[in-house]
Amino acid sequence: MKKAILLPMLCLITLCGCEKSTELSEITGNTGNSENPETETPENGSLTFQLHTDKTTCNLLDLTVFSISFNRTVSMLDISHQFDSIAWIVEDKDKNLHSFCIMEQNKKFFQWSHCFYYPGEYKTYLAGYKAQKETFRSDTLDLQVVTKDFLGWKWNEFPNETGQTGTGTVNLFNSDFELTYYNQLSDNGVPGWNLYVFNSAGEDEQAFYEKSSEALYHYITQIYGAPSIDRNSPELTEAFTADFDYHPDYATPLAIWETEQTRIVQLRIDKNWPTARIYTEPLSEK
């Protein structure tokens, strides 16, 4: 399985491990107050920084690269002297804050990557902390994360070749829910996307199936609404057989969604051990 990699000048974030989403208080040391942390004006000539990104409009699950730059040439000692830590902060439209520490005593990332899992408008900035106080904040960047026909993909842009291995996405705010996907063509040439959660920690297969199946169901429901045919419906098997071109072996349909462009089904695959999968095809008249 391929994982997205970071650019030169830092370790591979996908191999170093990702931190879960944290409240701002976990980085600042403040408790219960995430509105405007106490700030201090930097002294003249002191170290400051800015946040940069390779794009401000992002497709869902598309890799977006971020980086930090300083106002002058710096050494690791300079950074450590002025800041105990520097965090990348993302605020969603509901004012929820998510953070990932890019610099502290044992790590310093100058560039990092992330895939946004939900559409919407985001504000993002960098914050530096000293003695549990925010001492500097970069300018804020506005991001727009958009969906296409299915998540961040359009059917008329479907890859010419079928994917041979899954491509993993980077979720810095929740490493327990990192999606993997691959594309395929059915025997009659109908394109399809497969989406699943990779069991990277080697958990018990049955327990992981239950957890990942529930997570995928809620993920698709949050983006596309309630299924058109929900779990335990007697219509599921007949609808899956009639409406979808591709029917993998050992598959049981669990729920079906339908949008203007796409049919989506959640499957349980019972081969060697149970696995959960989302499979999608373009909507077409039979």
Side-chain angles (χ1 to χ4, degrees):
M1 180 185 71
K2 296 186 293 184
K3 272 278 189 176
I5 59 173
L6 297 184
L7 301 181
M9 290 189 66
L10 79 161
C11 300
L12 296 178
I13 229 170
T14 55
L15 299 181
C16 294
C18 302
E19 296 185 2
K20 296 181 181 179
S21 176
T22 59
E23 295 295 330
L24 191 59
S25 60
E26 292 180 36
I27 289 184
T28 64
N30 298 333
T31 56
N33 180 14
S34 61
E35 294 184 352
N36 289 313
E38 181 179 352
T39 61
E40 299 175 355
T41 303
E43 297 178 1
N44 185 34
S46 63
L47 195 61
T48 63
F49 47 76
Q50 288 298 332
L51 174 66
H52 307 277
T53 181
D54 65 335
K55 61 177 76 76
T56 56
T57 299
C58 318
N59 296 327
L60 213 63
L61 299 188
D62 196 14
L63 189 69
T64 303
V65 177
F66 298 88
S67 61
I68 182 174
S69 69
F70 292 90
N71 62 320
R72 58 179 172 84
T73 302
V74 297
S75 66
M76 298 303 180
L77 185 61
D78 290 331
I79 298 171
S80 299
H81 177 75
Q82 187 155 330
F83 301 106
D84 294 332
S85 64
I86 300 174
W88 177 49
I89 311 294
V90 175
E91 178 183 325
D92 63 27
K93 61 182 178 59
D94 297 320
K95 306 300 181 182
N96 297 314
L97 296 175
H98 309 277
S99 60
F100 179 78
C101 186
I102 64 165
M103 294 191 180
E104 57 184 2
Q105 182 177 2
N106 296 322
K107 65 178 180 182
K108 288 181 173 61
F109 298 147
F110 290 87
Q111 294 178 318
W112 61 99
S113 56
H114 177 70
C115 298
F116 288 92
Y117 275 43
Y118 294 95
E121 297 178 355
Y122 295 84
K123 294 183 179 298
T124 182
Y125 56 89
L126 295 171
Y129 305 96
K130 188 71 173 180
Q132 300 186 349
K133 293 182 179 180
E134 181 180 312
T135 58
F136 183 77
R137 179 180 294 190
S138 72
D139 293 339
T140 298
L141 300 179
D142 293 322
L143 303 176
Q144 182 76 29
V145 180
V146 299
T147 59
K148 292 188 176 180
D149 292 341
F150 175 66
L151 301 181
W153 307 305
K154 289 183 69 67
W155 292 116
N156 62 6
E157 299 172 348
F158 194 79
N160 292 327
E161 297 182 359
T162 297
Q164 300 298 315
T165 58
T167 300
T169 59
V170 182
N171 184 356
L172 295 187
F173 303 135
N174 185 359
S175 59
D176 290 333
F177 187 58
E178 292 193 326
L179 294 169
T180 298
Y181 62 87
Y182 66 93
N183 60 292
Q184 70 174 61
L185 293 173
S186 64
D187 291 339
N188 60 356
V190 174
W193 287 102
N194 293 268
L195 190 73
Y196 61 95
V197 184
F198 184 68
N199 189 0
S200 58
E203 298 181 40
D204 173 80
E205 297 295 351
Q206 182 62 45
F208 182 77
Y209 165 75
E210 298 294 341
K211 180 173 69 174
S212 60
S213 179
E214 195 67 18
L216 286 171
Y217 178 88
H218 285 292
Y219 177 64
I220 298 299
T221 298
Q222 282 184 276
I223 297 176
Y224 295 106
S228 55
I229 305 177
D230 209 344
R231 294 181 284 191
N232 302 317
S233 170
E235 304 172 26
L236 268 171
T237 300
E238 181 179 354
F240 175 59
T241 301
D243 295 338
F244 287 81
D245 283 274
Y246 176 63
H247 305 97
D249 295 334
Y250 315 107
T252 302
L254 302 180
I256 292 175
W257 294 259
E258 190 171 296
T259 72
E260 292 182 358
Q261 298 85 16
T262 304
R263 287 190 178 96
I264 307 166
V265 62
Q266 180 172 359
L267 300 173
R268 173 182 172 128
I269 310 292
D270 284 290
K271 183 180 180 181
N272 301 324
W273 54 78
T275 57
R277 185 190 304 176
I278 298 294
Y279 174 71
T280 71
E281 290 179 350
L283 195 62
S284 61
E285 295 297 331
K286 294 289 185 177

